[in-house]
Amino acid sequence: MALVDYAASEGVALLTLSDPPANTYTHEMMKELDAAILKARFDADVHVLVITGQGEKFFCAGANIGMLREADPTFKYYFCLHANETLSRLEHTPKLCIAALNGHTVGGGLEIALACDLRIGRRGAGKIGLPEVALGVLPGTGGTQRLARAVGGSRAIQMMCEGKTFDFDAAQGYGLLNEVWDTPSHQDFMKRVLEYARGFAPPGRAALAVGRIKRAVQTGLEVGLEQGLALERELQAELFASEDAREGLAAYVEKRKPSFQGK
């Protein structure tokens, strides 16, 4: 049985972490997630990725503790290295990625969500946080770095050292979540997330521009201003040469709605 279910439709690839009850990840799941990210990256018909968890209780509760307890230190090191590479691959993919937080999002689960561009939670669905300190370890799949970039260094240190979890509304207040939605059911939540994701795909939105905005921000935040501006110019030049830019400019002049193709 697949540990990451993959389904693509109408420009959106849905990647579902599937190892109930808590959707904890092993090296096998990370390898499947890595492959799914690459599949979506190479699919010209996919413009947006959505990552969620199977069921209604957990997005992901992080790494499988039983696996880590039995593994030797060398395996643990390479397990963390590959998990970091997988999430970096997600971040580097020039397609928008949305984390649909359908349930508890803790430990490595939050680290996966932090590697996504947008995070949307279902109100009342669960808790969120990085409680690894209670195990005597730190968040080792990018948590110390991405959380600090999301909420600031001092707040991140406090969150991780206290190891507390909090609800999605509090997380939105901290800047961890972009949206928290009231939906009657899990099915309604996922339907709304997928509808939202399709809004970033053609024909209504220039997906190439969306992807390059993502790349400009993701890389630009890690370099100096001058290097970031240089990257921005290169990405803009690439977009100016695209069919979508020609369509967008023509539609503006002709006072009509553009119809983008993602090309």
Side-chain angles (χ1 to χ4, degrees):
M1 187 177 78
L3 295 170
V4 177
D5 294 321
Y6 183 100
S9 176
E10 299 180 76
V12 178
L14 177 61
L15 284 60
T16 304
L17 308 177
S18 183
D19 191 13
N23 300 322
T24 54
Y25 60 80
T26 57
H27 183 46
E28 287 69 27
M29 179 185 278
M30 270 295 163
K31 286 191 289 186
E32 290 190 24
L33 179 59
D34 201 5
I37 292 165
L38 286 173
K39 183 175 181 179
R41 179 187 285 187
F42 278 88
D43 189 341
D45 294 325
V46 167
H47 305 284
V48 183
L49 288 74
V50 173
I51 299 181
T52 193
Q54 190 272 334
E56 302 182 26
K57 294 184 178 181
F58 284 90
F59 172 78
C60 175
N64 186 299
I65 301 302
M67 175 209 67
L68 290 178
R69 184 181 180 186
E70 299 298 325
D72 63 60
T74 300
F75 178 88
K76 290 175 185 175
Y77 175 81
Y78 286 117
F79 167 72
C80 289
L81 176 60
H82 176 255
N84 269 291
E85 290 168 338
T86 297
L87 297 188
S88 292
R89 199 187 314 282
L90 180 65
E91 233 171 20
H92 294 161
T93 297
K95 299 182 180 187
L96 195 69
C97 181
I98 300 171
L101 307 185
N102 56 301
H104 298 299
T105 306
V106 293
L110 177 53
E111 291 177 298
I112 293 172
L114 284 168
C116 296
D117 306 303
L118 304 179
R119 289 169 289 281
I120 300 171
R122 181 186 172 206
R123 180 165 281 114
K127 298 289 188 178
I128 190 169
L130 294 173
E132 283 91 339
V133 69
L135 302 175
V137 297
L138 56 72
T141 312
T144 62
Q145 303 306 301
R146 292 190 178 95
L147 183 66
R149 285 162 172 76
V151 304
S154 180
R155 175 76 73 181
I157 291 169
Q158 180 184 18
M159 286 181 176
M160 289 182 284
C161 289
E162 290 181 351
K164 293 179 180 178
T165 59
F166 34 90
D167 64 29
F168 289 167
D169 286 299
Q172 185 180 26
Y174 292 139
L176 272 177
L177 269 65
N178 298 84
E179 305 277 349
V180 180
W181 292 343
D182 281 307
T183 54
S185 68
H186 170 70
Q187 290 76 17
D188 291 319
F189 174 68
M190 290 308 303
K191 180 180 179 182
R192 185 174 174 185
V193 169
L194 291 173
E195 287 174 353
Y196 179 70
R198 291 187 198 106
F200 295 100
R205 195 69 57 93
L208 287 180
V210 170
R212 271 77 190 158
I213 289 169
K214 165 186 174 167
R215 289 302 313 133
V217 173
Q218 292 283 17
T219 299
L221 284 174
E222 305 304 322
V223 300
L225 178 60
E226 287 303 318
Q227 291 92 338
L229 291 173
L231 172 64
E232 182 182 270
R233 289 192 296 272
E234 292 301 317
L235 293 172
Q236 184 73 302
E238 183 181 332
L239 289 171
F240 275 142
S242 70
E243 294 179 21
D244 277 357
R246 286 192 287 273
E247 166 63 9
L249 294 170
Y252 179 84
V253 171
E254 297 164 13
K255 296 180 171 58
R256 60 176 175 82
K257 186 177 179 179
S259 180
F260 296 112
Q261 301 179 50
K263 299 180 180 178

